[in-house]
Amino acid sequence: MGTTNYVGAFIRVAEDCPVAVAEVPAETKRPTVAFVQYRLVSKHPYEFTSDDVLFEVHAIRHEIAPEDRDRARAEFFAKPQACLRTSPLGKRYGWGIHHDAGGRVALVPLGSEQYDALAADRSLRQLRAMRSRRA
């Protein structure tokens, strides 16, 4: 089983992110990946790892029953998965993602003092969310 977890890292927003300050993804009839990730991580900062978030979004969107989650998680991570650098939160909505020393994640809004401080912190591995378009 592979992992998407980072430890002591900060994923800054993508270079081509269209917003100057973070936006909350809109709630829709069928929840989007962005909305589910935002709701999960914003309500539980530093509680889940990247792997936990990615699988939980998959489980919610595919309506996987709680009793089937262990098997489904093993199947989900049996194939390589994209990390949170591909999250629409960092690509489109202006949210940085901080991974603490335990690999747990929290959202940090672009335009905040906390975002600027984490982006300048050289003790953290500095990454960028993936661009939406080629350069």
Side-chain angles (χ1 to χ4, degrees):
M1 179 171 119
T3 185
T4 66
N5 296 335
Y6 290 107
V7 174
F10 185 57
I11 300 174
R12 295 180 287 157
V13 300
E15 293 168 339
D16 63 347
C17 181
V19 299
V21 294
E23 296 178 352
V24 175
E27 186 171 7
T28 57
K29 188 173 185 174
R30 174 162 160 71
T32 63
V33 168
F35 178 76
V36 176
Q37 286 179 345
Y38 173 81
R39 184 179 62 197
L40 184 65
V41 180
S42 67
K43 288 185 178 183
H44 304 278
Y46 299 114
E47 192 172 320
F48 300 113
T49 65
S50 174
D51 285 352
D52 297 335
V53 171
L54 294 174
F55 176 72
E56 189 63 22
V57 169
H58 171 76
I60 289 168
R61 290 179 46 90
H62 290 90
E63 299 176 347
I64 298 172
E67 61 271 12
D68 297 330
R69 296 250 175 134
D70 288 340
R71 178 192 49 77
R73 186 176 174 119
E75 289 173 4
F76 182 74
F77 285 108
K79 300 177 203 158
Q81 298 297 323
C83 69
L84 285 176
R85 290 184 59 219
T86 64
S87 170
L89 295 175
K91 291 174 69 170
R92 156 70 186 88
Y93 292 97
W95 291 94
I97 303 171
H98 179 230
H99 298 252
D100 70 7
R104 295 171 306 269
V105 298
L107 298 177
V108 183
L110 179 63
S112 70
E113 289 181 18
Q114 183 186 15
Y115 183 96
D116 294 341
L118 289 170
D121 186 345
R122 296 300 160 216
S123 70
L124 295 173
R125 181 175 176 192
Q126 296 289 326
L127 303 161
R128 281 275 191 182
M130 303 288 263
R131 297 174 55 92
S132 294
R133 296 175 230 25
R134 286 186 176 187

